[in-house]
């Protein structure tokens, strides 16, 4: 597990990009939960951190596919492949992510 940021860095519902071990990752805090997804849309090489959180998940700003925060699955085309989701642990104020551990 690598320290990604402080929990206080994460605003609820606001994507927060980090890079860990050469892996682009976007963190999303949703209530008490923190999710870590690969920061790259599976339709094209677009940073998901530039999108918005919607009821369906993290929305790619370019063509509108939304990725589920837990499964990484897109809710609608044009993306058809899930984005990688990584293991996250919150330890006190530290947000830890394992970029080598996909959970989907
Ligand atoms: S680049 Fe993300 S949906 Fe097309």
């Amino acid at each position: 597990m690598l320290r990604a940021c402080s929990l206080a860095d994460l605003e609820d519902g606001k994507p927060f990009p980090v890079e860990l071990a050469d892996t682009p990752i976007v963190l999303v805090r949703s209530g008490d939960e923190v999710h870590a997804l690969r920061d790259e849309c599976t339709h094209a090489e677009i940073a998901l951190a530039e999108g918005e959180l919607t009821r369906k998940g993290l929305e790619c700003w370019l063509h509108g596919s939304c990725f589920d925060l837990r499964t990484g699955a897109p809710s609608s085309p044009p993306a058809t492949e899930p984005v990688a989701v990584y293991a996250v642990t919150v330890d006190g104020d530290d947000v830890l992510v394992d970029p080598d551990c996909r959970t989907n």
Side-chain angles (χ1 to χ4, degrees):
M1 286 273 181
L2 301 174
R3 186 182 185 279
C5 66
S6 160
L7 186 60
D9 291 332
L10 301 179
E11 283 180 45
D12 198 59
K14 184 165 184 225
F16 187 88
V18 296
E19 184 159 324
L20 294 174
D22 294 326
T23 303
I25 290 174
V26 56
L27 298 166
V28 182
R29 182 174 184 171
S30 178
D32 292 337
E33 298 181 354
V34 177
H35 304 272
L37 291 78
R38 185 174 176 87
D39 191 12
E40 184 176 80
C41 182
T42 54
H43 181 233
E45 294 178 6
I46 296 296
L48 292 174
E50 295 173 20
E52 292 185 351
L53 186 63
T54 72
R55 283 186 301 113
K56 294 180 180 174
L58 185 54
E59 182 177 53
C60 177
W61 62 270
L62 190 55
H63 303 119
S65 288
C66 290
F67 295 88
D68 186 277
L69 296 179
R70 292 185 182 82
T71 68
S75 64
S76 58
T80 57
E81 297 295 318
V83 72
V85 177
Y86 302 101
V88 180
T89 300
V90 177
D91 182 11
D93 192 46
D94 292 329
V95 178
L96 309 170
V97 178
D98 187 347
D100 294 324
C101 182
R102 281 185 68 159
T103 59
N104 66 333

